[in-house]
Amino acid sequence: MSDKNNNAPQLDPGVDDAWVSVIRKMDEAYADLVHSQVEVEEKNAELQENKQFLDSVQSSMSDVLIVCDHLGQIQQVNRALEMLTGKLGDQLVGSHFTDLVDPRFLQKVNGLINQVRVQPVRDCEIELQGVDGSVPLSMNCSPRKNHRGRLVGMVLIGRPLGELQKAYIELNSAHAELKLAQERLVQSEKMASLGRLVAGVAHELNNPISFVYGNMHALQRYTDRLSQYFDAINEGQSRDKLKEMREELRLDKLIRDLNSLVAGTMEGADRVKEIVNDLKQFSSTQESEKTVFDLTHVIRTALHWIIKESKQPVEVIDLIPSDLKAVGHSGQIHQVVVNLVQNAVDAMQGCDQQCLTLEAESFNDRIEFKVSDTGPGVCEEDLSRLFDPFFTTKPVGQGTGLGLSISYGIVSEHGGELRILNRDEGGAMAILVLPTEEVSNV
Ligand SMILES: Nc1ncnc2c1ncn2[C@@H]1O[C@H](COP(=O)(O)OP(=O)(O)OP(=O)(O)O)[C@@H](O)[C@H]1O
Ligand SMILES: [Mg+2]
């Protein structure tokens, strides 16, 4: 043995060192390999996690998702598309996405593919062939680019239109109902304003009617007396007798009275006609052409009726110039003025001093009409809400809160302005600006 050992070739120490270094290098390489393996496994786990996350996001999407390459071949889909088409993802991947499209929409889809090269396509309505027939979808289509910005495909996301359409129809019918309710409210507000005026109008009509009635009574008595006299003439009574009768029946005074009785009756009838005309104007619902109208008359009629009906001791300062002309619908402006004056009168209810001032000034292109009162004014926090529909501080049943909101609409439609402010000296002031006849392009 020992011989053998002794005869064994002796290794050069330099060769030993080489081996050691080779083995060390191998150890190091192996350690690196193990390290890389661990890293790869960690990355794999991370990738797996990311994939699961993306899968779960995709499968919980209710919109359908189709990812294609630049030729339109499907690379990925989500569960919503699988459900819609009744096919599994594996069956869909690799097919051309136009295979899913209802043939009636193929042309549109081809256009879409070309368009998406230039810019994303939004809300394009197409139909896909679903498991139970065609399904309309609103499609958004975006280009997919690689890291160098080159187009490599596109991403299509579609929302089934059934739901959108249902929501749209519901929205539409809710809107129509609201519009109808609004129209009814506008009309009922108009009727309410009209109702407030009815008592005033009744008073107003009463005056000329009782006047006409009284005159007719007098005329009836006069007719009796005249008949007696003419009968006597017919019977051939003597001159003296006729003279006596004439004095007894006071025929000379009667004849002097006749003219003024007839004139008075005519005046009364004219007044009735005027009132009826004003009323007709106010209650008219049909939209007529805008015309030049007498704003002074409109303001005075509104004022007159409200004050007549009001039981409050209101002092009125009327500084309105005569013959102011504005352009628009006189009936509608009447409604606005009624509301402004009524609001001012209502605001002063119970106040010691109740003074209503009406002023108007005419400028080149407009008229400014102001209604001031000596009421409590409007609280700061309410100022911005006055024109809101249904905003009212009046007790239930005494105000709908629509007066100013409707007035605002009418005035805007006339190309005018309506403002309410508090006066420094107390009370509120409503300012109505209306175009004059010079700007008849409203
Ligand atoms: N001159 C005023 N002084 C004080 N407050 C006012 C005046 N004018 C309007 N307001 C306030 O504005 C609110 C809304 O007025 P608007 O005319 O719109 O409705 P309303 O008068 O309450 O009811 P209606 O529908 O019968 O007119 C009133 O309730 C009141 O609080
Ligand atoms: Mg009002």
Side-chain angles (χ1 to χ4, degrees):
M1 272 288 254
S2 64
D3 263 341
K4 263 189 192 169
N5 281 343
N6 286 339
N7 294 335
Q10 291 293 306
L11 283 174
D12 184 340
V15 175
D16 268 357
D17 284 351
W19 272 109
V20 169
S21 111
V22 166
I23 289 166
R24 202 174 285 144
K25 283 268 184 262
M26 276 175 68
D27 272 352
E28 276 172 17
Y30 183 71
D32 277 351
L33 209 65
V34 170
H35 185 70
S36 303
Q37 173 73 17
V38 171
E39 262 184 16
V40 165
E41 273 169 20
E42 275 173 8
K43 289 247 154 64
N44 251 342
E46 217 174 288
L47 271 175
Q48 194 66 27
E49 215 172 284
N50 280 344
K51 187 174 179 309
Q52 275 168 4
F53 176 74
L54 284 176
D55 284 349
S56 72
V57 170
Q58 282 180 17
S59 57
S60 53
M61 272 172 73
S62 57
D63 292 355
V64 302
L65 170 78
I66 306 171
V67 182
C68 315
D69 66 12
H70 66 291
L71 298 172
Q73 269 192 344
I74 298 178
Q75 295 176 305
Q76 199 170 346
V77 298
N78 69 346
R79 225 176 111 61
L81 187 79
E82 290 180 334
M83 305 263 285
L84 187 144
T85 55
K87 291 180 186 159
L88 288 175
D90 291 347
Q91 293 169 271
L92 294 166
V93 169
S95 63
H96 203 274
F97 101 90
T98 50
D99 296 345
L100 300 176
V101 177
D102 183 301
R104 289 176 296 141
F105 290 85
L106 273 180
Q107 205 176 349
K108 193 168 181 184
V109 166
N110 287 332
L112 186 136
I113 295 174
N114 289 332
Q115 202 183 331
V116 84
R117 292 177 200 279
V118 187
Q119 61 178 31
V121 178
R122 298 268 164 259
D123 299 325
C124 173
E125 288 184 21
I126 62 168
E127 289 186 19
L128 293 190
Q129 304 186 46
V131 66
D132 302 316
S134 286
V135 181
L137 296 162
S138 168
M139 278 284 184
N140 285 342
C141 186
S142 318
R144 199 162 61 82
K145 296 185 176 164
N146 66 9
H147 63 282
R148 277 195 236 119
R150 282 190 54 194
L151 183 81
V152 287
M154 54 184 179
V155 178
L156 297 120
I157 296 179
R159 170 158 300 180
L161 265 182
E163 280 172 35
L164 277 182
Q165 266 168 349
K166 213 169 105 198
Y168 182 73
I169 290 167
E170 275 168 16
L171 201 72
N172 237 355
S173 76
H175 181 239
E177 269 172 37
L178 265 177
K179 247 181 105 177
L180 192 74
Q182 191 198 18
E183 271 164 26
R184 282 200 194 122
L185 276 170
V186 168
Q187 191 59 24
S188 70
E189 158 66 16
K190 205 169 173 182
M191 293 326 283
S193 323
L194 190 63
R196 277 200 295 270
L197 297 179
V198 164
V201 175
H203 265 276
E204 191 71 353
L205 283 174
N206 226 8
N207 243 347
I209 287 174
S210 49
F211 194 53
V212 170
Y213 202 63
N215 283 358
M216 293 315 282
H217 262 294
L219 279 173
Q220 201 176 25
R221 283 197 314 273
Y222 287 3
T223 318
D224 289 345
R225 275 149 63 184
L226 282 171
S227 299
Q228 279 180 44
Y229 186 68
F230 285 125
D231 286 347
I233 294 174
N234 272 346
E235 284 160 13
Q237 295 285 357
S238 66
R239 254 178 175 270
D240 287 346
K241 177 69 186 162
L242 288 176
K243 194 169 173 232
E244 194 185 309
M245 269 187 90
R246 191 172 168 144
E247 274 165 20
E248 207 179 287
L249 294 169
R250 286 180 289 153
L251 290 191
D252 292 316
K253 182 180 175 292
L254 179 153
I255 287 163
R256 275 199 310 275
D257 268 5
L258 267 183
N259 270 345
S260 75
L261 272 182
V262 171
T265 309
M266 287 291 281
E267 201 185 308
D270 280 346
R271 183 71 197 115
V272 170
K273 197 171 132 193
E274 268 172 38
I275 296 167
V276 170
N277 272 345
D278 286 339
L279 257 185
K280 262 208 252 165
Q281 202 180 46
F282 180 70
S283 61
S284 137
T285 49
Q286 79 252 29
E287 281 298 308
S288 51
E289 282 284 296
K290 285 186 174 119
T291 50
V292 176
F293 66 92
D294 184 349
L295 181 63
T296 306
H297 177 70
V298 167
I299 294 172
R300 293 246 162 89
T301 318
L303 173 71
H304 187 74
W305 285 355
I306 288 167
I307 296 302
K308 194 127 207 154
E309 197 218 350
S310 167
K311 296 185 177 63
Q312 296 166 219
V314 179
E315 178 200 347
V316 178
I317 303 177
D318 179 348
L319 303 174
I320 306 288
S322 56
D323 216 21
L324 282 175
K325 295 273 189 279
V327 178
H329 300 288
S330 57
Q332 291 182 355
I333 298 301
H334 181 106
Q335 190 180 349
V336 174
V337 177
V338 163
N339 189 50
L340 298 184
V341 174
Q342 187 71 58
N343 279 352
V345 170
D346 290 349
M348 293 190 290
Q349 197 172 22
C351 293
D352 290 340
Q353 196 206 356
Q354 300 192 13
C355 179
L356 176 78
T357 309
L358 303 188
E359 307 156 77
E361 208 175 335
S362 194
F363 298 92
N364 246 354
D365 54 350
R366 67 188 197 282
I367 292 173
E368 280 189 18
F369 165 59
K370 296 177 185 162
V371 182
S372 315
D373 62 61
T374 51
V378 186
C379 358
E380 280 303 312
E381 65 264 33
D382 289 347
L383 269 173
S384 61
R385 299 194 288 162
L386 293 184
F387 297 100
D388 289 355
F390 305 111
F391 175 77
T392 182
T393 53
K394 293 177 187 168
V396 176
Q398 288 185 25
T400 58
L402 280 173
L404 283 179
S405 127
I406 291 173
S407 301
Y408 191 87
I410 292 175
V411 174
S412 308
E413 206 271 320
H414 276 75
E417 288 168 39
L418 184 58
R419 296 191 294 273
I420 309 257
L421 44 91
N422 283 323
R423 300 191 306 150
D424 293 340
E425 55 272 55
M429 180 194 275
I431 305 174
L432 165 66
V433 182
L434 280 179
T436 51
E437 56 187 315
E438 277 85 27
V439 285
S440 47
N441 58 335
V442 280

